[in-house]
Amino acid sequence: MIKNKIKGLKMTPQRLAILAYLEGNIDHPSADDIYKAVLKKFPTMSFATVYNTLESLKNRGSVSELTIDPDKKRFDPNPDPHNHLICNKCRKILDIHIDYELRVPYEKKQGFEITGNHIKFYGICPKCRRGK
Ligand code: ZN
Ligand code: MN
């Protein structure tokens, strides 16, 4: 899976470490989370490298950027279309893999060819509900 993500992207050990961290990651990390995690293995890693690698991956469609956390952008390496649950308190983001049959009536499409949708559900996660 990592291999499809790196087509045309020059691979350095740092970039590979970023890819390895993202592979199968379902925590929707921010650029800062990724930086901190990879820094443990690569103390010379710069935030700019993380940022630029994420930009390249994003431009290739290999990761998507989620803007559902108002505090920071989060990254999602899962290429399958899916929806999200976000905790209003701790900002944990979970995947929801349900295909909701949403239709925009023709007269509301305003000429758009619709290619996708994304539903965000807001709430309080079990941990926060228990008051941690
Ligand atoms: Zn929570
Ligand atoms: Mn996701």
Side-chain angles (χ1 to χ4, degrees):
M1 201 188 199
I2 280 182
K3 272 191 199 125
N4 336 321
K5 294 185 178 172
I6 60 179
K7 238 185 278 164
L9 188 62
K10 235 210 264 167
M11 273 304 119
T12 60
Q14 279 97 335
R15 279 183 169 170
L16 281 170
I18 295 168
L19 283 167
Y21 179 73
L22 284 172
E23 183 74 42
N25 190 313
I26 55 167
D27 293 336
H28 308 93
S30 65
D32 205 47
D33 296 333
I34 298 165
Y35 173 60
K36 280 181 187 146
V38 182
L39 198 60
K40 286 178 196 153
K41 229 173 148 188
F42 288 91
T44 58
M45 174 83 71
S46 72
F47 183 76
T49 301
V50 172
Y51 184 85
N52 294 334
T53 303
L54 286 169
E55 284 296 300
S56 306
L57 292 171
K58 200 177 81 186
N59 294 337
R60 282 169 176 75
S62 304
V63 298
S64 48
E65 190 178 85
L66 300 178
T67 52
I68 62 182
D69 179 351
D71 295 336
K72 55 198 170 181
K73 283 184 209 162
R74 310 271 291 255
F75 293 88
D76 194 335
N78 186 344
D80 301 329
H82 60 280
N83 300 298
H84 291 100
L85 262 172
I86 180 165
C87 176
N88 287 333
K89 281 196 173 161
C90 69
R91 305 289 194 216
K92 185 206 301 287
I93 297 176
L94 301 179
D95 293 335
I96 300 184
H97 290 277
I98 296 176
D99 215 355
Y100 294 97
E101 298 266 328
L102 292 176
R103 293 192 198 295
V104 182
Y106 178 80
E107 64 276 16
K108 301 283 184 189
K109 278 188 188 170
Q110 301 167 75
F112 269 57
E113 181 196 339
I114 293 175
T115 55
N117 62 57
H118 176 218
I119 308 172
K120 306 163 252 185
F121 293 91
Y122 295 90
I124 310 291
C125 78
K127 227 178 179 179
C128 291
R129 285 177 65 197
R130 284 196 305 265
K132 268 188 263 173

